Amino acid sequence: MTQIRLRNSKSRKEEDFTPIDPQNVRIYLCGPTVYDRAHLGNARPVVVIDMLYRLLRHVYGTDHVTYVRNFTDVDDKINATALARKETGAEGTLEDLIRQRTEETIGWYHADMDALGALRPDHEPRATDYIGAMIAMIEDLITKGHAYAKEGHVLFRVRSYQAYGALSGRSVDDMIAGARVEVAPFKEDPMDFVLWKPSDAGLPGWDSPWGKGRPGWHIECSAMSYELLGASFDIHAGGIDLQFPHHENEIAQSCCAHPEAGFARYWLHNEMLQVEGKKMSKSLGNFFTVRDLLDQGIPGEVIRFVFLQTHYAKPMDWTAEKATQAGATLRKWYKIAAQGVDNASKPYVAVISALANDLNTAEAIAQCHQLAHADDVSTLRATLQFLGLMGTDIPAWAATPDVDLSALADKLAALRATAMETKDFAPVDALKSALVAAGVEVRMSKAGVELVPGSGFDAAKLEGL
Ligand code: AMP
Ligand code: ZN
């Protein structure tokens, strides 16, 4: 069996990955807050963990991996978008409008992530469906002395958990010095964080032993992972921006509620997608959405390829040039892979080894280049499918239209022969320009003229040539 190695953020070391139960390898990824379209940065953890999911399924068997990714559907930003709609006269109660907004956003999220070739997780729990589990966990934490209720709030007592800060390698005192912790009258200590808070008047809330309110963000993941994966599971993933405080708080809650279990054994953090050296984020305003790129005609496979070219633990930029090159490479590979008819072929072992080495996707892509050179068509096809870069068929955007351009090639060759004698190349240039304008790639060499339909090929523009 392939031995997977992962860099575990918890130990800060690369380790052999050994699942708790090879019959059911369990993985949790913090999902999106569903108030708006996902930006390109939000797609990075999805593509990275999709690659890990595919690798785990390959090694342990398709039915032996459980992947959970939540939807945070209770949040101030969701409320704000619904309120704004209500103010502009939208029909329905605020609850209806909130529900509409989250449903709509989840639909967009699915469409965008599907376009990137990401498999749907086995479970996509919505926070609002697990409020009961969150309340139960909070009550347990209070009973065990790790949390306290005050003024309608429930706070986690950070100093009650000795190992707090171990994941990010900071002491509580360092964190207080460095972080913008909120001092509030209902807190025993500024580091204590919210497990439950009262809802503002007119906003959605749930009945609880502490009054009508709603959960804090961190408890959502602790409760949902416990319900769906158990008190201990294999891998917990998310962007490095979530390591502190979100993941630190998840660990504190889960380990204090279930001290007998270890919560997540391996932690995997992806680095950020950046724009001019800064994290792409909604709050900085330096973002574009996955949908923006798709609408510009950049195929999902191209976006995925660009992500895979950089190791997940390195920051990366999106550039138009990377997209152009990725498109050209994929087009070349699809052309080769199209000849592969052996459906029993397996993905290339060197690609599996590269991925097993802490998800070295850049090396996996390098190995695909080797395969393409070796002209191993069936293996290339199986490998591209495994990497999520193609489905059963070559994507429509890359399929070469079935047109016969030989008459036009002959005509261009004849014009060129005449021009060699007359020294008047204008007719050659004119035909060449018209072909290029119709999306045809024109390759002229001593050997002859070759015409190939390109990406923007439009047969209608050939009429009259
Ligand atoms: P959020 O909705 O902000 O909680 O983000 C959802 C997921 O996207 C989390 O796993 C974040 O770590 C991740 N994320 C947010 N911004 C970026 C970025 N610029 N690059 C990579 N991942 C990001
Ligand atoms: Zn989380």
Side-chain angles (χ1 to χ4, degrees):
M1 184 182 278
T2 306
Q3 176 63 61
I4 298 175
R5 287 181 65 78
L6 294 174
R7 186 182 183 280
N8 188 351
S9 306
K10 196 158 97 173
S11 65
R12 291 172 200 80
K13 288 198 189 85
E14 211 176 281
E15 297 174 9
D16 277 351
F17 172 71
T18 320
I20 299 167
D21 174 8
Q23 296 301 311
N24 185 17
V25 183
R26 286 158 290 159
I27 170 161
Y28 186 93
L29 171 65
C30 297
T33 304
V34 283
Y35 69 101
D36 207 350
R37 286 248 183 225
H39 66 59
L40 190 64
N42 298 139
R44 192 173 187 197
V46 176
V47 171
V48 166
I49 297 312
D50 178 65
M51 222 39 266
L52 178 61
Y53 182 45
R54 286 168 182 264
L55 176 67
L56 291 169
R57 282 159 60 108
H58 179 81
V59 174
Y60 294 96
T62 313
D63 299 330
H64 299 288
V65 185
T66 307
Y67 169 25
V68 177
R69 183 183 65 209
N70 70 294
F71 285 119
T72 293
D73 60 350
V74 43
D75 181 78
D76 286 336
K77 286 180 237 125
I78 304 172
N79 294 343
T81 53
L83 272 171
R85 276 192 183 179
K86 190 149 182 64
E87 275 159 21
T88 57
E91 279 183 29
T93 64
L94 189 62
E95 265 87 0
D96 293 339
L97 294 172
I98 287 172
R99 189 80 193 163
Q100 271 172 28
R101 183 64 183 185
T102 56
E103 289 289 335
E104 179 177 45
T105 312
I106 289 172
W108 292 336
Y109 191 80
H110 277 150
D112 295 350
M113 299 309 135
D114 289 354
L116 301 185
L119 302 172
R120 298 270 178 101
D122 299 285
H123 301 280
E124 296 183 283
R126 298 176 188 202
T128 52
D129 290 334
Y130 286 81
I131 303 286
M134 294 173 208
I135 292 176
M137 197 170 203
I138 296 171
E139 286 187 296
D140 188 24
L141 286 169
I142 294 177
T143 310
K144 290 182 170 140
H146 294 292
Y148 55 94
K150 209 165 172 197
E151 297 172 29
H153 292 72
V154 183
L155 280 296
F156 185 90
R157 190 175 277 132
V158 167
R159 294 203 189 256
S160 75
Y161 178 54
Q162 284 297 314
Y164 192 83
L167 179 70
S168 40
R170 312 179 216 200
S171 73
V172 173
D173 295 311
D174 285 351
M175 282 187 262
I176 292 182
R180 277 177 291 151
V181 286
E182 192 196 351
V183 184
F186 48 80
K187 283 189 178 182
E188 283 178 3
D189 187 297
M191 273 313 282
D192 294 350
F193 60 87
V194 165
L195 299 175
W196 187 266
K197 58 186 168 190
S199 348
D200 294 336
L203 288 176
W206 290 263
D207 290 328
S208 81
W210 320 286
K212 195 175 170 206
R214 54 182 216 179
W217 170 38
H218 315 299
I219 197 74
E220 293 178 14
C221 288
S222 283
M224 290 186 278
S225 62
Y226 175 69
E227 292 296 316
L228 293 162
L229 298 175
S232 52
F233 56 93
D234 297 297
I235 304 171
H236 193 312
I240 190 76
D241 56 334
L242 299 187
Q243 191 176 40
F244 175 79
H246 182 57
H247 291 162
E248 209 72 76
N249 293 354
E250 278 190 44
I251 292 175
Q253 296 162 159
S254 296
C255 291
C256 289
H258 307 286
E260 72 292 352
F263 194 41
R265 306 217 349 217
Y266 300 81
W267 284 80
L268 206 104
H269 288 105
N270 65 275
E271 252 297 346
M272 295 292 100
L273 179 85
Q274 301 185 330
V275 180
E276 289 167 357
K278 291 209 173 70
K279 170 189 169 186
M280 175 181 278
S281 74
K282 290 256 164 74
S283 53
L284 286 177
N286 60 349
F287 70 94
F288 43 88
T289 64
V290 174
R291 183 51 49 183
D292 289 335
L293 291 182
L294 296 171
D295 285 349
Q296 284 164 27
I298 299 174
E301 293 85 357
V302 167
I303 302 173
R304 184 176 177 98
F305 186 102
V306 171
F307 277 134
L308 296 184
Q309 274 180 311
T310 304
H311 187 255
Y312 74 88
K314 291 192 182 132
M316 68 170 282
D317 284 312
W318 170 268
T319 65
E321 197 191 331
K322 282 187 190 171
T324 308
Q325 282 180 4
T329 303
L330 280 174
R331 213 176 264 286
K332 210 166 63 191
W333 290 355
Y334 290 145
K335 212 166 163 183
I336 300 168
Q339 301 153 33
V341 286
D342 179 5
N343 287 327
S345 290
K346 298 240 165 16
Y348 190 29
V349 278
V351 165
I352 302 295
S353 308
L355 295 175
N357 178 17
D358 192 27
L359 228 50
N360 192 340
T361 50
E363 175 62 20
I365 296 285
Q367 291 296 337
C368 288
H369 280 288
Q370 300 282 333
L371 262 186
H373 277 299
D375 244 15
D376 187 347
V377 293
S378 292
T379 310
L380 181 65
R381 187 184 181 96
T383 305
L384 293 178
Q385 286 170 337
F386 169 71
L387 290 172
L389 290 168
M390 66 177 272
T392 336
D393 296 313
I394 306 297
W397 62 270
T400 313
D402 190 16
V403 283
D404 183 3
L405 297 173
S406 59
L408 282 165
D410 291 346
K411 183 172 173 184
L412 189 58
L415 283 177
R416 181 171 67 164
T418 312
M420 299 290 240
E421 283 167 18
T422 62
K423 302 290 173 218
D424 176 11
F425 283 88
V428 179
D429 291 339
L431 180 55
K432 216 172 128 181
S433 304
L435 287 166
V436 171
V440 177
E441 279 175 37
V442 181
R443 298 176 195 154
M444 297 175 83
S445 66
K446 280 203 188 112
V449 172
E450 196 190 351
L451 300 182
V452 185
S455 53
F457 178 70
D458 182 357
K461 293 199 179 138
L462 294 178
E463 273 170 35
L465 294 184

